[in-house]
Amino acid sequence: MTETVKVADIEKAHKNPIAELVQIACKFDSHIEIESEGKNINAKSLMGIMAFGLKDGMAVTISATGNDETEAVEAIKKFLICEN
């Protein structure tokens, strides 16, 4: 499953957005990737997310493959667009 979203101001909405995003991704069995501007990273990689540089207004594509891919993409999407 793949979905493209525009990142909200996650720095303002979350205390530690990078660690929180990795924690969410790690709850799922599926392989989850986030892609933007030619960069593609594993959402379960803390170092990858740090290097990725998520910022407000950035368009990212979330992709997941596995038995819980729909739930994984939805959870990551909700986090990135700051929807509770």
Side-chain angles (χ1 to χ4, degrees), residues 29-66:
D29 293 329
S30 294
H31 177 73
I32 309 164
E33 290 189 345
I34 300 174
E35 189 267 324
S36 182
E37 300 167 3
K39 292 187 277 185
N40 193 327
I41 53 108
N42 180 342
K44 297 179 183 180
S45 165
L46 186 61
M47 295 304 284
I49 298 281
M50 288 171 73
F52 193 73
L54 286 167
K55 52 190 174 290
D56 188 18
M58 181 183 223
V60 298
T61 301
I62 309 158
S63 304
T65 51

Side-chain angles (χ1 to χ4, degrees), residues 19-30:
E20 288 178 46
L21 179 57
V22 172
Q23 284 178 334
I24 291 168
C26 287
K27 290 179 185 176
F28 299 96
D29 293 329
S30 294

